[in-house]
Amino acid sequence: MKNNKYYAQQSIALMDLTLLDHTVAESDIIALCKQAKTESGTTAGICIYPQFIPAARKQLKEQGTPHIRLVTVTNFPNGGDDIEIAVRETKAALEYGADEIDVTFPYRALIAGNEEIGFKLLATCRDVIGDKALMKVIIESGELQDESLIRRATEISIEAGTDMVKTSTGMVDVNATPEAAKTMLNVIKNMNVQGRVGFKASGGVRTAEDAKQYIDMATELFGKEWSEHPEKLRIGASGLLNNVLGLLGHKTKAATAGY
């Protein structure tokens, strides 16, 4: 039986260590990069605003961890329905050198009954990104609330060509929940796209026990190889790192701001 140390270790390998505070400075990004290199391995990525990507890439290279993915966000966090703005931000993220771009779904439009704008915005961003970066779509499940809306947002995101579906921005009252994750993962299964589409739980995942719920859920549906692969399963977090390092017997640092 897997113990908490297994989940702690696995959480590090799947984690996007996140810092999306509007008061962040370059020195905070450097510190985040250093935190991403732990005594028990590196996180999968760091999630930061686009303008900090060059400084982060330089730091990751200097500390010997250039493989850590540089993740950023666009159409974030409000999930607007202006395609021109979303595309402009996405192009800028690519120019800064993002490895992965998390695009927020126009969830308010979907709540209002408009499915078309979500597909069109995401498909246009997918065309812009091409194969230059991984595309992850944030459906903002806590705001959609209704299971049918969560399911439909996930379906639209997959139909538009996303590489991964993500629960939340981490900027609203309700973020990742096991219930939303189950709905989203089941859409991936029912559409038979687990070979090309992954899942990211983000916001409110603060302990190894929290992470365990998502890892076990993915393992049950798709197997251990899927749930242990950061291209398929990702956890967006900031407070989680200290918890898992403590479980692994390492000294912990001050928690980063973010989600």
Side-chain angles (χ1 to χ4, degrees), residues 77-100:
N78 295 326
D81 58 9
D82 190 314
I83 295 174
E84 184 179 345
I85 291 174
V87 166
R88 189 184 310 130
E89 291 180 358
T90 300
K91 285 180 177 177
L94 287 172
E95 289 171 1
Y96 276 117
D99 297 313
E100 303 180 8

Side-chain angles (χ1 to χ4, degrees), residues 16-259:
D16 283 343
L17 189 60
T18 302
L19 183 53
L20 294 171
D21 189 290
H22 285 294
T23 61
V24 67
E26 188 172 303
S27 58
D28 299 312
I29 299 301
I30 301 304
L32 188 77
C33 292
K34 291 178 179 178
Q35 283 184 279
K37 181 182 180 181
T38 82
E39 295 175 73
S40 290
T42 64
T43 66
I46 61 168
C47 186
I48 55 180
Y49 285 118
Q51 64 268 30
F52 295 113
I53 290 174
R57 190 171 296 283
K58 180 181 178 183
Q59 175 60 35
L60 292 176
K61 183 178 179 180
E62 288 178 352
Q63 69 186 37
T65 58
H67 61 282
I68 293 177
R69 307 280 289 177
L70 287 164
V71 186
T72 196
V73 290
T74 63
N75 205 37
F76 181 92
N78 295 326
D81 58 9
D82 190 314
I83 295 174
E84 184 179 345
I85 291 174
V87 166
R88 189 184 310 130
E89 291 180 358
T90 300
K91 285 180 177 177
L94 287 172
E95 289 171 1
Y96 276 117
D99 297 313
E100 303 180 8
I101 301 175
D102 293 9
V103 184
T104 307
F105 189 99
Y107 61 90
R108 290 188 184 87
L110 182 61
I111 292 169
N114 185 345
E115 295 188 359
E116 293 181 8
I117 193 65
F119 177 84
K120 189 173 181 181
L121 185 147
L122 296 177
T124 306
C125 287
R126 174 80 269 178
D127 287 344
V128 168
I129 294 169
D131 60 1
K132 296 185 282 293
L134 202 69
M135 177 175 166
K136 311 209 293 290
V137 174
I138 311 167
I139 70 163
E140 201 67 291
S141 57
E143 293 292 283
L144 292 173
Q145 297 183 2
D146 185 87
E147 183 182 348
S148 64
L149 288 176
I150 293 170
R151 184 185 307 112
R152 189 61 189 127
T154 306
E155 291 170 347
I156 292 169
S157 300
I158 292 170
E159 290 163 359
T162 191
D163 297 303
M164 188 172 282
V165 285
K166 173 178 170 182
T167 58
S168 325
T169 60
M171 303 292 185
V172 293
D173 290 338
V174 177
N175 294 291
T177 65
E179 294 77 16
K182 183 177 180 180
T183 298
M184 296 169 72
L185 286 165
N186 276 322
V187 169
I188 293 172
K189 180 180 180 181
N190 293 338
M191 293 181 72
N192 195 28
V193 292
Q194 60 267 30
R196 68 172 181 87
V197 178
F199 168 79
K200 178 175 174 178
S202 61
V205 186
R206 303 194 181 281
T207 67
E209 190 63 30
D210 293 334
K212 176 182 184 297
Q213 298 178 81
Y214 302 106
I215 294 170
D216 283 350
M217 203 179 299
T219 303
E220 183 177 346
L221 283 172
F222 304 126
K224 186 176 177 182
E225 287 187 9
W226 201 94
S227 66
E228 290 186 346
H229 199 306
E231 290 292 311
K232 299 301 180 186
L233 181 61
R234 202 74 66 86
I235 299 169
S238 54
L240 176 62
L241 185 62
N242 275 352
N243 176 264
V244 298
L245 288 176
L247 283 173
L248 293 169
H250 305 311
K251 291 181 179 179
T252 59
K253 301 176 183 179
T256 55
Y259 63 90

